[in-house]
Amino acid sequence: MKILYMTLARIGDRSFGGAMRANYIYDALREVAEVETLVIHGGPTFSLDEQMDDRGIRTALISRWGLSIGALRQRALLKRWIASAIRLGSYDLIVAQYVGIAGLVPAGERDRLIFDADDFVKSAVAGTRQSPADRLKLRVRNLVARRLARQALHVWYSNPTPEHSPPSERKSWLPNVVALPDAERLRLSPTPGRVLMVGFFSHKPNIDGLRWFCTNVWPDVLASVPEAKLHAVGRYEEADAASLPCVNFLGYVPDLPTAYDEAALVIAPVISGGGTQIKVIDALAHGQPTLVSSFAHAGFADDLHDGEHLLVASSPQEWIERCIWALRSPEQIATVAERGEAIVRRIYGSERLKALVKDTIIHLRQSASSRSKL
């Protein structure tokens, strides 16, 4: 079997949640099929690889996005590049991540498309006012996602809540997972008062969530816990850092487990976007006390329970009270974190996702073989 894999993440990059998922899927596909890959990524200049590298990977760099003339021209060239690759590759299946990538697959080829709809339904920041144009863009984007789900051969989705279920009978749940750190590693003691958020802060839902936390929660936390410090690990934009002076933006760190160990509390105040928040289970996998929004919790609510494995907050007042309690009650919150780590290690290891990916491919291959014999 020969598969074309289309993704936004560079192969080998596991520095943020979406890249983890992309690479786990890639690893699983290669165990059951010959895989060639198109990586579609942002870059300073527009370029389209003419030849695959020695790993069977071609890369497209897109320098303009949106509806400008330059962006539309790049999109048209990108679609022709993808159509040509599909036509010449003689692929049995096409696996495409996310709505934006799956939508580039020609309509006539979608009967062999596996649509990884990790971000299937997107939402706006709760409680904020949107312009009519932004509301329209979000509505159109979600309509496109539903159309792709109905056209695809099979759909993977990560968020098990009903409103995020794709409108297709040919679908299966593919949960987000994490690489489990060494349980026997030497762990550093947490720094009292240190609060940490880990994420790709160039991604709008992450920086919006952090900004919401800084505005609505952090001042009251500091008033009660003056020694508290707020750190952020992950790629960020300089303009965002300048507008949030209460945050110590660390960028990429070579030793993420140590950054987790040194935190007294990890937060995930994400209140918009799509899919499920890998940062939630990543923090728990590292054994860290974790406080998350009800939005971030929703995708894991069946397995991770408020007060038992982590803390969940909805309103600013809940966030304030639970953040202060966690920082002032290190022994109690450590017990919650221990239970959270145990269940994440049991349920959300990367081997689970890879097994489910392989099950889908094997099932589709067997179904195709049965039809060919009729």
Side-chain angles (χ1 to χ4, degrees):
M1 176 170 280
K2 188 176 181 183
I3 294 175
L4 177 66
Y5 182 43
M6 298 170 58
T7 178
L8 288 170
R10 297 182 187 277
I11 301 304
D13 177 10
R14 301 172 194 263
S15 61
F16 60 97
M20 288 184 200
R21 182 180 179 90
N23 277 272
Y24 295 146
I25 291 174
Y26 174 76
D27 292 343
L29 294 175
R30 293 184 67 212
E31 292 182 17
V32 291
E34 176 187 352
V35 178
E36 293 179 345
T37 306
L38 301 182
V39 175
I40 300 164
H41 203 68
T45 58
F46 177 75
S47 66
L48 301 171
D49 282 353
E50 293 299 325
Q51 302 294 328
M52 290 184 173
D53 65 16
D54 56 4
R55 297 179 297 168
I57 299 171
R58 293 169 66 187
T59 300
L61 294 180
I62 311 303
S63 62
R64 297 186 181 182
W65 308 90
L67 298 176
S68 68
I69 293 174
L72 292 174
R73 179 178 179 274
Q74 288 189 16
R75 183 178 176 84
L77 292 171
L78 176 63
K79 290 183 73 173
R80 286 203 288 270
W81 181 76
I82 290 170
S84 175
I86 292 173
R87 184 175 63 253
L88 297 174
S90 300
Y91 301 106
D92 298 289
L93 293 172
I94 302 165
V95 178
Q97 284 199 293
Y98 309 116
V99 173
I101 299 297
L104 297 170
V105 175
E109 307 291 351
R110 292 174 186 169
D111 59 349
R112 49 179 163 155
L113 169 67
I114 299 177
F115 172 26
D116 178 35
D118 178 40
D119 62 342
F120 182 62
V121 174
K122 281 194 178 293
S123 62
V125 177
T128 61
R129 298 181 63 181
Q130 280 190 300
S131 68
D134 286 340
R135 286 198 301 271
L136 178 61
K137 284 192 289 187
L138 191 62
R139 180 177 175 80
V140 169
R141 184 258 176 219
N142 288 337
L143 286 172
V144 169
R146 292 185 176 92
R147 184 183 67 182
L148 286 168
R150 288 190 291 266
Q151 293 174 337
L153 173 64
H154 191 85
V155 184
W156 286 323
Y157 63 98
S158 65
N159 195 324
T161 56
E163 61 269 26
H164 288 80
S165 181
S168 171
E169 295 181 359
R170 304 177 303 275
K171 62 187 176 185
S172 57
W173 182 48
L174 189 64
N176 276 317
V177 296
V178 290
L180 299 174
D182 181 4
E184 303 303 320
R185 74 187 189 283
L186 178 65
R187 303 191 191 192
L188 301 179
S189 299
T191 301
R194 180 172 297 183
V195 178
L196 172 68
M197 182 174 176
V198 177
F200 183 64
F201 293 100
S202 296
H203 182 48
K204 194 172 186 299
N206 287 337
I207 194 64
D208 284 347
L210 181 58
R211 193 180 304 280
W212 179 91
F213 180 84
C214 290
T215 301
N216 296 283
V217 180
W218 192 241
D220 290 82
V221 173
L222 274 181
S224 293
V225 189
E227 70 274 21
K229 302 292 183 184
L230 180 55
H231 288 201
V233 166
R235 177 179 166 179
Y236 65 94
E237 304 299 328
E238 292 293 344
D240 291 324
S243 69
L244 295 173
C246 66
V247 182
N248 182 12
F249 282 91
L250 301 176
Y252 171 79
V253 295
D255 186 4
L256 185 57
T258 294
Y260 273 124
D261 287 348
E262 292 176 339
L265 178 67
V266 179
I267 59 169
V270 181
I271 51 178
S272 65
T276 57
Q277 303 299 312
I278 295 179
K279 60 179 63 62
V280 174
I281 53 176
D282 196 37
L284 292 173
H286 285 83
Q288 290 309 106
T290 305
L291 171 60
V292 308
S293 66
S294 54
F295 179 90
H297 178 240
F300 307 105
D302 288 348
D303 301 315
L304 303 176
H305 302 147
D306 182 22
E308 183 179 357
H309 307 111
L310 76 175
L311 300 179
V312 182
S314 299
S315 68
Q317 190 58 39
E318 282 185 330
W319 269 94
I320 293 165
E321 292 172 357
R322 292 193 159 203
C323 193
I324 293 171
W325 178 83
L327 294 176
R328 286 180 170 173
S329 310
E331 293 183 2
Q332 293 95 316
I333 194 63
T335 300
V336 175
E338 288 173 6
R339 292 193 293 262
E341 179 180 7
I343 197 166
V344 166
R345 284 188 171 275
R346 181 166 59 85
I347 295 178
Y348 289 102
S350 60
E351 291 305 314
R352 182 188 192 187
L353 179 144
K354 291 196 284 187
L356 291 171
V357 167
K358 290 187 285 187
D359 285 347
T360 298
I361 301 302
I362 292 168
H363 172 73
L364 292 175
R365 181 166 56 192
Q366 291 173 341
S367 296
S369 177
S370 297
R371 287 195 300 270
S372 69
K373 294 176 181 178
L374 295 179

